[in-house]
Amino acid sequence: MASHPQHTAPGPRNLSSADAEDLALYREKFRRRLPESLDELHGPTRGVVDLPLHMAWSGMTSYDLGKPRQRMGLYRTVLHEGLRDDLPRYLNQDLLLQLWPVLRTLIGRTVRTVWEDAFPQLASRTRAAA
């Protein structure tokens, strides 16, 4: 896996050592799922995508990539719930880069930090869009 720098994102002050350990484990959960490179992401760019139950365990299971809100919802779900093998199958590099400036505001801070630390081109897309 690509090297992933340890990110010391600002978090809530006065975390207990148990809470800090839980946060570190939560970050590591997402770090382990990352692809080596965004080049591995060859998911669909059009059509309807049906997610398996381990990702779409609550709410929608089918997403129409032609509908912007559903496309964003699919990416949000896959980033949060997808396993390592799911990411290349359901995410597309070009689409992820295109969606990132808005998508990053819809996902949790931990997921956002892990992805931007691993793939600086995502963070640079955000700066370019600002």
Side-chain angles (χ1 to χ4, degrees), residues 30-73:
F30 290 106
R31 249 188 235 110
R32 285 192 309 259
R33 296 177 180 183
L34 292 173
E36 291 283 333
S37 163
L38 292 182
D39 293 334
E40 294 178 24
L41 305 179
H42 296 289
T45 58
R46 64 180 72 153
V48 175
V49 176
D50 295 312
L51 292 180
L53 200 54
H54 72 271
M55 280 193 286
W57 50 269
S58 173
M60 291 180 62
T61 59
S62 292
Y63 297 84
D64 184 343
L65 292 175
K67 296 181 177 179
R69 290 184 77 175
Q70 288 189 29
R71 185 172 52 234
M72 201 69 74

Side-chain angles (χ1 to χ4, degrees), residues 34 38 72 75-76 79 91 93-117 119-127 129:
L34 292 173
L38 292 182
M72 201 69 74
Y75 273 64
R76 182 174 184 257
L79 288 171
L91 300 179
Q93 175 183 356
D94 294 335
L95 199 47
L96 179 65
L97 288 168
Q98 174 190 339
L99 296 175
W100 192 256
V102 173
L103 181 62
R104 73 182 302 277
T105 68
L106 302 175
I107 59 177
R109 178 185 356 192
T110 300
V111 175
R112 177 177 60 243
T113 300
V114 166
W115 277 80
E116 289 183 348
D117 282 354
F119 306 111
Q121 61 269 51
L122 292 174
S124 69
R125 293 283 300 187
T126 302
R127 287 190 297 273

